[in-house]
Amino acid sequence: MLDALPRYSLHVPSLWHLEFSNVLLTAQRRKRINARDAKGLLARASRLPLVTDSRVVPLVEIAGLADSNGITTYDAAYLELATRLNCPLATQDKALAKAARRLGFFYA
């Protein structure tokens, strides 16, 4: 997927930035990575060609999407974005992948 980046626009919901940095912080706290590596990964991530979506999805809509697909509201934000933009969704989360596959928006 990383090799394909220059050919595509990568769209993420605004919460992606919080989730990504939280993953690194959690890994650092659990001694899986050190602070220097975390900062390096943050720097690399900041250079990714991401398009951050700014739409605030109404609570009822995002909760309904999450409930009907058996996923978290966080994951529903990614699914909502993929369906709204009619683009594939790349994920390693099993429940989100299943929902995206069922709706025809999964990229393996």
Side-chain angles (χ1 to χ4, degrees), residues 29-63:
R29 287 178 179 160
R30 292 181 180 168
K31 308 289 188 215
R32 293 181 181 157
I33 61 173
N34 60 43
R36 189 181 82 239
D37 291 341
K39 286 180 183 177
L41 289 167
L42 284 171
R44 287 181 64 193
S46 70
R47 293 189 300 270
L48 290 173
L50 301 177
V51 177
T52 304
D53 186 70
S54 61
R55 178 176 187 245
V56 177
V57 182
L59 292 173
V60 172
E61 182 181 341
I62 203 72

Side-chain angles (χ1 to χ4, degrees), residues 66-88:
D67 186 43
S68 66
N69 288 284
I71 57 178
T72 67
T73 54
Y74 302 106
D75 289 346
Y78 293 92
L79 187 60
E80 186 280 331
L81 182 60
T83 57
R84 180 165 34 95
L85 298 180
N86 193 30
C87 64

